[in-house]
Every structure is written in C-alpha cells, then in structure tokens.
C-alpha cells in the first residue's frame, strides 16, 4: 500500500442519558445528541462536517445510549453520506480515551491512517480537512483544535499553551483555578494510530500501581487514594497533560465560532450559529418569503418541509421549525426552536424560547424570555405536550412536560 | 338649581394621565370624567355648575366652553389660592351658590363615578325636610373609609366614624351631597373638612339624612379603580341603554367604541373595553379590560389587557401590554415589546420590554 492509501475514521463521542442532565427537560424526551439545532440533530453537524474529509472510510458514534436510540438516525445518515455510520455502545464508562481504545480493533479495521475524535456537545465549524493538513505538516501523534476565549471564561475549559511558531502543545491543564491561558481545548482532535499505544501505556501503568497498592489494604480502603480502574483513561488529564511539551501534540487554532452545548439555552444560541453557517454551506435549507405566497421571513430561518406556516405569520431571525409544526395566522416567532408537532395558534408570540414536541400555544398567548443564553431562565423552555392557553403569558420560565398553563407565569420552574 | 363640583388639585394618583390634562378632563368611558357629572346635573335641571378648582382653571374653562353651549348649562370656576379642604370651597363659592331662590344645591366629588340618581335625591331631600342629604354606598371593607351610621327607617345620620376598627356599619360617604343654602352659614372661609367638621354638627341637630345609592359607585382616582370603574359603568350602561354598546362577532362582553374609531379584521374586543374617537385598531388585535383613548393606534396582532392607553399613543405589532400598564399621552411601544405593569410618562418611546411593574420616566 502506498502513501496515497490513507484511510480516515471519525469517532464522535455522544455521551449517555445520565450525562446530559443539564439539558433537562429537553433530554427527558430525546437523547441530547439527537436534539435538533438549526433543524438538524445536534450530532448531524459534526457528521456532515466529516463529509469534507478526504478518504473518510467510516464514522463511529460512541456512547452509553441504547443502540435502538440511534438505529434510525445512523441508517438514514449512512445512506445520505454514502459513508457507513455506526453506533457503538460502551458496556461501562472507560473515560474519553478509554472509550475509543475499547473499540480500537473496529477503528483500525479499515487499515486506518488517521482518527478524528469529536465531542458531540460542541458547536463549531469543524474545520476538519484543514486540521488534517496541519496535522500532517506537524508530524506529531495528535493535533487539538483550539480557540481563543475571554480570560474570564477560560477556566471553565481545558486551558492550554502552545508554541506560537511551531504550534507544539507546551502545557495543558483541565479547568484550572487560576488563569493559565486564554486558548482552550475545543474537544476536536486528530490522532495517528500511535494514540492507542499511549492510552495502553496509561492503562498498564495503572495496573502496575494497582498491583503495588494491593500490598497495603489500608490505603486501598481510602476513597481519595483509590485508583481509577485500569481501563479508565481520560483524554485530557491522562494523555494531553502528560504528553504536552514532548513534541507529540500540536494545536490548530480556529478563528470561527465555538460554543459548548451544555444547557437548553445554549442550544438556542448554537442553533443560530449553525443557521448562520447554512448561508455558506447549505443555503437551500434556509427559508425565504416576503408574506405574499408564504410567511414573511426575517434573517436565518429553517422550516421543515412538512411544517405549515400561515402566510400572515412573521418568522425570524434565528428560528427553526421542525416537522409537522403548524404556525397560525398572524403569529410571530423570533429566536426560537419549535419542535415536532407543535401548534402555534393565531396571533401568538414566541421570543427566545424552545417549544417542546406537540405543545400548543394559544391565541394571543406569549412565550418569551430575556434571551440571556447563560442565565438559568434566560430562554423559556416548554417540555413535551405543554399547553399554553389563549392569552396566557409565560416569561423566563421552564415548564416540564404535560403541563397546562392557564395563568401567567414569570421566572418560574414548573414541575 | 346649582351645583358645585369639587375638582381639587393635581390628581397625582392618576398620573401619568394627569400630566397631560387636569384630572376631571381625563377620559372615562370615552368622555372626560367631569362630563359624566355635568350631564347628570343638566338632566335634572341644574342650570349652573361651579367648579371648585386650584390648578389650571384656564385649561378647564377653555375646554368646558364648548360644552356650555352644547349642553346649555353655565359653567364657572371658583379658584382656591390655597387648598381649602372639602368644605372651604363651599364658603369660597358662596356668592355663586346663593341665588335667593332658597333651593338646595348639589355638591359632587369629581373622582366619583356612579349612576347619579339625582332626581331621587331631590325627592329624598324634600321628604325628610332636613338641612342636608348625603348619598351613601355599601362597601365590602368599611374600615378603609369613613362610615356613616344611620337610623335604618328614616336614614337620619347618627354619627360619622372615620376608618372604624370595629364594624359599625357598611355604608360610606359617596361624595354626593344635596345641601340647603343654610348649610353655607355653617362654613367659614378657611381650610376645613365637610365630613369631619360640618356634617357632624348638622347630624347632631338631627338635620342630616343619608340615602343609599342604588347601583354602582367607584372612586376612580387611581388606575386600578379606574379600570374596575369602567367595568361597573359598562355593566350599568348595558342595563340602562344597551344600544350604546358595541355588537358583532368580534365583540365579547361590554364594549363601547366611538363611531369614528376603526377596527380591523380578526380582532377580538372585550370584555370591558372603551375605544375612543379616531382610534385605529389594526387586524388581529386582542383587547380586554382596557381603555384606549382618543387618537391611539394599536398595530396588528397586539394584545392589551387591564391597561390604559393614553391619548395618541401607539402600540406596536405583536406587542403585549398588560397588568395595569398605564401609557401616558403620546407614548410609543415598539413592535414585539412586552409591558408588564409599566407606568410610562408622556412622550416616551418604549424600545425594550418592561418585565416587572415599574415607572418609566
């Protein structure tokens, strides 16, 4: 086989149902990776970015969700991309690096030359071919996508320092207490297969230490010093930190948008970022209209072909409307995600909100929030099958599934 | 017959509306508050109304000139240079009220809205032969007011109890009096209270009688009571002359719409709404429990409830205005804005939502 015979495999870490708790109440109904942003499942955005990788052989999704949760999605996306996409369920938590290592035989099956590793809960432009080129130029074992953030927020992420000339990773620290750097780890990596050797190294060190410890039963009983299972290997603390400054890891800095999608509020922001990206990548997905034949559209809007929006309604900017939703005459939608089967009745207003599956918003009702994506109640969230009766106002609130609201609510979480 | 209307001062409780006009000229149910009283007085044959006023008399008189001719009633002003309380203004207007006929005269409080059964009051006054008649109204919480204790059979007033802690009765002074001219001899020209100083003396002489006001009564001196007052007024209007109420598939409950106002398609208006002259209500608008004053424009799909929209204001498309929002004159609420209890002074543009009740200077 020649050098031209490169085979690239992409691995997307999707997490599990016990992980996305901050995404409630939306994650009560759907695995978080399948929650739609800009009308497409969250995981669809990194997957479609993978399309641009030359010689892409296979995409694996790794997580703790049940296989059936992803079966429908993986089969349809495999057909669409003409690249096999397969979901692999972890039997138990192995850590971010351990999880990939656990499936190393499958990943290497394709005679793989490079492995992309992507976290599902980040929102960015995924400049993967550019990363691949940079990685080959650096000649290391791995390259990390990094982004510059404000010094105030950097501590929430993995902070890192790189050589400004060579781009070599010099120092890496996860969520430090003091400021180290305003460059952070984006959760998007490319590795050569050598990474498996590194993970195995951490794993066998752990085993050795565990064997030593068995000597002292007292120490083994102390929870603080209890060692992690030998096959549990974290990417950040166990691989990136120790290998920093050893000419094995490099960084590629993106100047594009980057956000982490932890909360429902952030999903609304990320939806807007992906909608804006569609202007360049998928303009056909953006709705158009001036109120003559269809609804008036302002800014970036996605409307599923099966959704019905009355011509006298006004929609946008930053709105995505999912399948079978109905938007009545004179309704107004701004900065919101309208999920499947929702009904918005005449003259209702929805601003800075996520309206859950099959919910109903009454005539002249108003569902709104301040739009502060970082505030706990900055985006109003209605869970599945919530009914807001005619003329009722819901402001800065989170409503769990199957509630009926017949009086105004403000700044509340309704169980 | 003559009448004195106690207009009083700045009407601070009804700001921001009273920043634009004196309180008696603030519209209520599509006409200035004071016209409700003047029309009722005219209807039973009062030929001269004296306004006891201590603020902006020119504005009042200029405005009322038009109605002098229209109603055929003389309207004059008695201006206090210092506040004279509730009785002092009677002494000040003494010469205007005394015409030698010996007939009793009315004294009305301008903040009060009711059915004005003035004809019955004249008969009541004649029948008891006392010096003064006062109208009383039953309230749920008498401890907030001055309670009038009367002899059940005759209506003779026994005593006045100001804000009683223990229940002594549920009838309170409704601010509508019919007084014989001799009462004026009891009042000195100084700041003094009719309830506390004049009436108790007349009552002590067994010459004060109280008549229970049939129908509704409301002091509409502040916004919340103004909105409640409109509901009571429209209820009463429905019983008396329901032809004045609007009808149609887009109307629910009691609604009055000035004939020069325009209402678009797909609106739902009511209950308890007054829409003033020259207003434009565009299509898809929802209005309930609110007053929309002269020259206001409500743009498409807006929704307004429990609020007062001052003269020549506009409410933008898809705006939501509710919960005792009071817009002063010429206020502009931009498209898609939410106002929860915003009290907005005149000539403002509201560009960001008002989430909690607050005053916008």
């Amino acid at each position: 086989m020649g050098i031209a015979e490169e085979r690239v495999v992409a691995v997307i870490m999707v997490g599990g149902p016990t992980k996305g708790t901050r995404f409630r109440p939306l994650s009560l109904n759907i695995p978080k990776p399948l929650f739609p942003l800009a009308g497409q499942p969250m995981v669809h955005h990194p997957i479609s970015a993978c399309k641009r990788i030359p010689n892409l052989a296979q995409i694996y999704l790794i997580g703790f969700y049940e296989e059936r949760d992803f079966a429908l999605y993986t089969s349809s996306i495999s057909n669409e991309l003409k690249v096999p996409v397969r979901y692999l369920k972890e039997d138990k938590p192995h850590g971010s690096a351990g999880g990939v290592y656990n499936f190393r035989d499958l990943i290497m099956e394709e005679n793989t030359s490079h492995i992309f590793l992507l976290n599902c809960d980040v929102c960015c432009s995924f400049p993967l071919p550019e990363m691949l080129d940079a990685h080959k130029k650096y000649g290391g074992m791995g390259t990390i996508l990094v982004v510059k953030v404000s010094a105030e927020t950097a501590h929430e992420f993995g902070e890192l320092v790189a050589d400004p000339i060579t781009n070599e990773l010099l120092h890496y620290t996860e969520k430090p207490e003091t400021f180290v750097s305003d460059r952070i780890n984006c959760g998007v990596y490319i590795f050569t297969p050598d990474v498996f050797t590194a993970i195995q190294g951490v794993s066998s060190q752990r085993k050795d230490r565990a064997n030593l410890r068995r000597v002292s039963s007292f120490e083994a009983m102390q929870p603080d010093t209890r060692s992690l299972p030998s096959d549990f290997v974290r990417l950040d603390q166990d691989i990136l930190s120790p290998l920093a400054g050893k000419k094995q890891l490099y960084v590629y800095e993106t100047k594009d948008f980057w956000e982490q999608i932890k909360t429902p509020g952030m999903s609304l922001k990320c939806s807007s970022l992906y909608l804006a990206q569609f202007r360049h990548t998928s303009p056909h997905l953006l709705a158009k209209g001036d109120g003559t034949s269809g609804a008036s559209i302002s800014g970036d809007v996605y409307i599923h072909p099966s959704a019905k929006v009355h011509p006298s309604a006004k929609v946008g900017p930053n709105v995505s409307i999912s399948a079978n939703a109905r938007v009545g005459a004179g309704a107004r939608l701004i900065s919101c995600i309208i999920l499947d089967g929702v009904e918005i009745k005449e003259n209702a207003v929805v601003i800075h909100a996520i309206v859950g599956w099959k919910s109903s918003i009454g005539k002249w009702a108003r569902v709104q929030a301040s739009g502060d994506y970082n505030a706990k109640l900055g985006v109003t969230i209605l869970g599945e099958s919530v009914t807001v009766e005619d003329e009722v106002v819901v402001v800065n609130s989170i409503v769990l599934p199957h509630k009926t609201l017949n009086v105004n609510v403000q700044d509340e979480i309704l169980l | 017959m003559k009448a004195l209307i106690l207009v009083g001062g700045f009407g601070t409780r009804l700001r921001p509306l009273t920043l634009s006009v004196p309180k008696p000229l603030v519209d209520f149910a599509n006409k200035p508050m004071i016209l409700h009283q003047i029309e009722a007085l005219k209807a039973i044959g009062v030929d001269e109304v004296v306004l006891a006023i201590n603020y902006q008399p020119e504005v009042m008189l200029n405005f009322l000139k038009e109605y002098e001719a229209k109603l055929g009633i003389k309207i004059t002003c008695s201006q206090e240079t210092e506040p004279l309380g509730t009785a002092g203004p009677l002494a000040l207007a003494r010469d205007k009220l005394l015409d030698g006929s010996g007939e009793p005269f009315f004294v009305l409080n301008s903040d009060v809205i009711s059915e004005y059964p003035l004809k019955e009051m004249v008969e009541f006054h004649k029948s008891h032969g006392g010096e003064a008649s006062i109208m009383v109204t039953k309230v749920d919480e008498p401890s907030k007011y001055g309670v009038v204790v009367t002899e059940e059979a005759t209506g003779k007033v026994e005593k006045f109890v100001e804000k009683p802690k223990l229940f002594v009765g549920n009838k309170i002074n409704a601010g509508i009096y019919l007084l014989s001219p001799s009462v004026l001899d009891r009042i000195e020209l100084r700041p003094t209270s009719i309830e506390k100083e004049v009436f108790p003396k007349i009552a002590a002489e067994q010459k004060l009688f109280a008549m229970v006001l049939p129908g509704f009564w409301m002091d509409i001196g502040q916004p919340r009571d103004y909105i409640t007052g409109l509901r009571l007024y429209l209820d009463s209007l429905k019983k008396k002359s329901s032809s004045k109420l609007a009808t149609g598939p887009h109307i629910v409950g009691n609604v009055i719409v000035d004939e020069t106002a325009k209402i678009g398609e797909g609106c739902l208006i009511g209950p308890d709404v007054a829409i003033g002259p020259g207003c434009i209500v565009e299509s898809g608008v929802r209005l309930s429990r609110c007053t929309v004053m002269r020259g206001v424009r409500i743009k498409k799909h807006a929704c307004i409830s429990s609020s007062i929209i001052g003269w020549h204001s506009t409410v933008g498309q898809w705006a939501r205005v509710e919960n005792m929002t009071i817009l002063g004159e010429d206020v502009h609420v931009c498209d898609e804005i939410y106002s929860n209890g915003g009290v907005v002074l005149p000539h403002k543009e509201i560009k960001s939502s008002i989430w909690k009740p607050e005053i916008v200077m």
Side-chain angles (χ1 to χ4, degrees):
Chain A
M1 272 192 293
I3 301 163
E5 279 302 297
E6 283 186 340
R7 306 283 285 168
V8 181
V9 169
V11 176
I12 301 173
M13 310 297 283
V14 298
T18 57
K19 287 284 179 187
T21 55
R22 274 197 280 169
F23 208 65
R24 288 172 182 162
L26 301 171
S27 55
L28 295 173
N29 290 82
I30 191 173
K32 179 178 155 186
L34 296 181
F35 183 79
L37 304 178
Q40 319 297 321
M42 190 182 291
V43 72
H44 184 85
H45 298 281
I47 288 178
S48 54
C50 289
K51 271 197 299 194
R52 294 176 55 231
I53 303 170
N55 305 312
L56 180 72
Q58 171 88 44
I59 298 173
Y60 289 113
L61 311 181
I62 298 182
F64 313 110
Y65 293 100
E66 294 303 320
E67 268 109 356
R68 62 170 180 275
D69 289 341
F70 284 86
L72 204 63
Y73 177 71
T74 48
S75 77
S76 77
I77 192 69
S78 299
N79 282 333
E80 191 187 318
L81 292 187
K82 311 274 183 282
V83 171
V85 179
R86 189 172 159 197
Y87 176 74
L88 304 172
K89 182 173 184 285
E90 289 186 79
D91 54 347
K92 60 173 181 159
H94 294 281
S96 44
V100 184
Y101 182 77
N102 194 37
F103 293 111
R104 65 189 179 283
D105 294 343
L106 278 171
I107 293 166
M108 295 309 297
E109 209 173 45
E110 299 286 342
N111 209 358
T112 306
S113 62
H114 295 92
I115 304 137
F116 270 104
L117 184 59
L118 298 86
N119 274 305
C120 177
D121 66 353
V122 303
C123 166
C124 70
S125 61
F126 297 108
L128 306 180
E130 295 80 359
M131 273 181 82
L132 179 60
D133 288 346
H135 176 74
K136 286 186 201 160
K137 200 178 78 196
Y138 302 147
M141 183 186 83
T143 297
I144 307 167
L145 187 69
V146 306
V147 71
K148 183 177 185 294
V149 295
S150 73
E152 293 76 44
T153 57
H155 67 92
E156 299 164 24
F157 309 100
E159 294 184 20
L160 48 80
V161 181
D163 185 304
I165 312 287
T166 65
N167 290 308
E168 190 204 340
L169 179 72
L170 300 176
H171 183 73
Y172 184 92
T173 177
E174 188 68 15
K175 298 182 179 128
E177 283 175 26
T178 54
F179 179 74
V180 175
S181 166
D182 59 0
R183 297 302 199 279
I184 62 151
N185 175 7
C186 289
V188 176
Y189 318 88
I190 180 166
F191 292 109
T192 55
D194 298 338
V195 75
F196 291 124
T197 318
I199 298 170
Q200 194 179 19
V202 175
S203 183
S204 34
Q205 259 178 28
R206 284 243 168 82
K207 248 180 232 157
D208 296 347
R209 244 182 275 154
N211 287 335
L212 281 174
R213 279 218 182 107
R214 241 170 245 146
V215 183
S216 161
S217 58
F218 173 77
E219 197 183 341
M221 282 161 65
Q222 302 304 307
D224 289 349
T225 55
R226 201 183 55 208
S227 58
L228 290 160
S230 62
D231 56 355
F232 189 94
V233 184
R234 296 160 298 184
L235 192 62
D236 33 33
Q237 285 102 322
D238 299 329
I239 304 291
L240 304 182
S241 281
L243 292 183
K246 293 187 176 161
K247 298 206 183 324
Q248 295 195 57
L249 298 175
Y250 292 82
V251 303
Y252 177 82
E253 185 166 326
T254 176
K255 305 285 182 191
D256 268 349
F257 61 92
W258 182 87
E259 296 290 345
Q260 206 171 12
I261 319 164
K262 287 290 185 202
T263 60
M266 280 308 295
S267 74
L268 185 54
K269 174 162 195 197
C270 294
S271 195
S272 81
L273 293 169
Y274 281 139
L275 282 171
Q277 198 191 23
F278 282 174
R279 283 183 233 156
H280 313 292
T281 60
S282 320
H284 62 281
L285 290 176
L286 293 175
K288 284 173 198 68
D290 56 5
T292 49
S293 58
S296 351
I297 303 294
S298 154
D300 301 327
V301 171
Y302 169 83
I303 300 176
H304 190 275
S306 67
K308 286 190 173 60
V309 181
H310 194 275
S312 64
K314 188 174 175 192
V315 180
N318 182 28
V319 172
S320 59
I321 301 176
S322 291
N324 302 310
R326 284 155 295 158
V327 178
R332 180 74 180 101
L333 308 181
I334 302 171
S335 179
C336 58
I337 296 175
I338 306 298
L339 294 166
D340 297 27
V342 164
E343 179 170 24
I344 312 274
K345 294 186 184 168
E346 291 91 318
N347 304 305
V349 176
V350 180
I351 302 175
H352 299 305
I354 298 175
V355 181
W357 306 266
K358 301 190 285 291
S359 287
S360 160
I361 313 290
K363 292 174 187 172
W364 286 291
R366 190 175 188 96
V367 174
Q368 188 174 5
S370 65
D372 177 355
Y373 300 115
N374 295 311
K376 189 180 177 192
L377 298 174
V379 171
T380 289
I381 314 286
L382 306 185
E384 183 191 16
S385 297
V386 167
T387 302
V388 177
E389 294 193 344
D390 292 354
E391 299 174 37
V392 166
V393 179
V394 183
V395 171
N396 296 339
S397 294
I398 295 175
V399 184
L400 269 68
H402 306 290
K403 299 284 287 185
T404 294
L405 305 182
N406 50 23
V407 291
N408 292 2
V409 276
Q410 186 163 6
D411 302 326
E412 280 191 68
I413 297 176
L414 297 173
L415 296 175
Chain B
M1 278 183 94
K2 297 195 177 184
L4 179 82
I5 301 178
L6 297 165
V7 171
F10 297 99
T12 54
R13 291 185 306 159
L14 209 53
R15 282 180 182 162
L17 300 170
T18 47
L19 292 173
S20 300
V21 296
K23 184 171 60 179
L25 299 187
V26 170
D27 291 293
F28 176 80
N30 288 353
K31 61 184 157 194
M33 278 162 63
I34 202 164
L35 267 194
H36 291 271
Q37 291 143 350
I38 293 176
E39 285 179 1
L41 291 165
K42 169 67 190 171
I44 57 133
V46 169
D47 48 26
E48 181 175 354
V49 175
V50 181
L51 307 179
I53 193 167
N54 62 17
Y55 172 65
Q56 290 187 339
E58 327 72 48
V59 181
M60 287 282 291
L61 285 178
N62 283 343
F63 172 83
L64 290 170
K65 233 174 241 162
E66 181 193 336
Y67 288 92
E68 271 195 299
K70 214 187 269 179
L71 298 172
I73 190 167
K74 190 177 172 195
I75 301 171
T76 58
C77 216
S78 168
Q79 194 190 353
E80 301 160 54
T81 46
E82 56 166 332
L84 291 173
T86 50
L90 276 75
L92 187 69
R94 181 188 170 94
D95 295 342
K96 289 174 185 275
L97 295 169
L98 289 177
D99 56 5
S101 68
E103 270 195 78
F105 59 89
F106 283 103
V107 175
L108 267 57
N109 190 319
S110 73
D111 286 355
V112 162
I113 200 88
S114 76
E115 281 175 18
Y116 302 112
L118 303 179
K119 197 160 168 256
E120 292 87 331
M121 197 176 192
V122 171
E123 282 158 17
F124 176 75
H125 191 72
K126 279 182 192 154
S127 71
H128 67 64
E131 232 184 298
S133 300
I134 68 170
M135 207 83 92
V136 292
T137 184
K138 288 180 181 173
V139 293
D140 292 336
E141 294 180 70
S143 57
K144 290 198 281 187
Y145 305 87
V147 171
V148 183
V149 182
T150 61
E151 191 182 84
E152 194 62 41
T154 61
K156 193 166 72 191
V157 175
E158 289 168 354
K159 59 179 174 178
F160 287 83
V161 186
E162 195 58 30
K163 299 192 172 118
K165 289 199 172 64
L166 282 173
F167 183 85
V168 291
N170 62 357
K171 297 188 197 87
I172 64 153
N173 179 355
I176 302 169
Y177 318 128
L178 185 58
L179 309 177
S180 294
S182 59
V183 172
L184 291 171
D185 299 334
R186 297 172 178 274
I187 305 171
E188 294 170 42
L189 184 55
R190 61 173 176 88
T192 162
S193 158
I194 200 163
E195 302 87 351
K196 288 178 191 140
E197 298 186 52
V198 181
F199 286 156
K201 282 180 192 155
I202 308 176
E205 293 174 27
Q206 315 218 355
K207 290 177 180 167
L208 179 64
F209 291 82
M211 169 185 160
V212 177
L213 174 68
F216 78 98
W217 176 88
M218 197 77 206
D219 177 339
I220 54 170
Q222 49 188 330
R224 185 172 293 274
D225 296 335
Y226 176 105
I227 290 167
T228 307
L230 183 64
R231 173 172 62 79
L232 299 173
Y233 175 86
L234 294 179
D235 268 350
S236 157
L237 191 64
K238 185 187 171 72
K239 286 176 201 138
K240 286 195 305 189
S241 46
S242 62
S243 64
K244 288 183 179 163
L245 294 174
T247 53
H250 62 296
I251 300 289
V252 275
N254 301 329
V255 173
I256 48 170
V257 181
D258 187 273
E259 58 186 7
T260 59
K262 290 191 173 66
I263 295 183
E265 283 177 24
C267 290
L268 187 61
I269 315 281
D272 308 321
V273 172
I275 300 174
C279 289
I280 295 173
V281 178
E282 297 183 357
S283 62
V285 165
R286 177 79 184 99
L287 303 177
S288 61
R289 292 171 204 87
C290 64
T291 291
V292 177
M293 291 183 179
R294 187 178 350 104
V296 164
R297 184 183 201 101
I298 312 290
K299 296 188 183 171
K300 285 183 196 171
H301 318 298
C303 180
I304 301 173
S305 64
S306 303
S307 295
I308 302 173
I309 312 301
W311 311 272
H312 305 289
S313 290
T314 57
V315 174
Q317 295 183 45
W318 288 292
R320 173 74 170 224
V321 170
E322 63 173 17
N323 193 22
M324 298 295 152
T325 290
I326 316 292
L327 305 184
E329 182 188 14
D330 183 40
V331 167
H332 302 281
V333 175
C334 293
D335 291 355
E336 292 142 15
I337 292 298
Y338 174 47
S339 169
N340 175 16
V343 173
V344 186
L345 273 61
H347 314 295
K348 293 288 290 185
E349 190 176 12
I350 302 297
K351 292 180 194 160
S352 58
S353 287
I354 300 167
W355 302 101
K356 295 271 167 66
E358 65 167 305
I359 294 164
V360 180
M361 293 298 283

